[in-house]
Amino acid sequence: MTDWLDRAEVLDALGIRAQTLYAYVSRGLIEARRAPGRRHSQYRATDVATLADRRGRSRASAAIAAGAMAWGEPSVVTAISTVHRGSLIYRGRDAVADHRWLVVRAAALSAVLPADPLLDAVRDCAEAATGARPNIDFALTALVRAAGLPRSAPFTIFLLGRSLGWAAHAMEQSRQGTLIRPRARYEGRRSPADRSGP
């Protein structure tokens, strides 16, 4: 077998288009070089063979995730969120169609936090202007105001959570001795119909 292949040979071997080949080269999956004495590129045959083997495996979700793990791109198992049959599933519930559980939790939280007319006005104005519900930034601001924390506290709380995540990630990489590039693999309930609890 030759060490280098022409573009047509690579496209045929992998069953891909030229754009995909260029993406593989830019990601470092296939090494390219200028063909000696010519104006076109050649591609390392061993890289192409490795990709062909990878693409030839089963395309089932679990097999793709397992294959990605072997390529240094592990899949992070999650039961928090996914998209299933066009529905946004959050913790096993259809986040759009079945939002009652959020209302119950929000009501429980608002029962322990004092009313804040200023935040209520800001929320209502923002919703009227954008049509969007408040996000985590608004929730952190409400928490900080209710608890009487310093104005910088929302940023500090957010950074604390993010820093702990980064530290855990770094420790896991150190233990495994490999760079982790996580992608999620959902393993929670697939739809509201198969709920067995909250």
Side-chain angles (χ1 to χ4, degrees), residues 59-134:
R59 302 312 291 166
S61 298
I64 291 170
M69 289 178 124
W71 274 67
E73 301 175 26
S75 175
V76 176
V77 176
T78 181
I80 297 174
S81 65
T82 190
V83 176
H84 180 65
R85 295 184 181 161
S87 295
L88 301 173
I89 307 299
Y90 178 74
R91 297 197 182 273
R93 297 179 183 271
D94 187 319
V96 176
D98 186 17
H99 63 279
R100 290 180 302 255
W101 65 280
L102 285 173
V103 172
V104 170
R105 288 184 181 179
L109 182 59
S110 66
V112 297
L113 292 177
D116 189 329
L118 176 61
L119 284 179
D120 290 344
V122 169
R123 181 199 61 228
D124 294 343
C125 183
E127 283 183 26
T130 66
R133 303 284 297 168

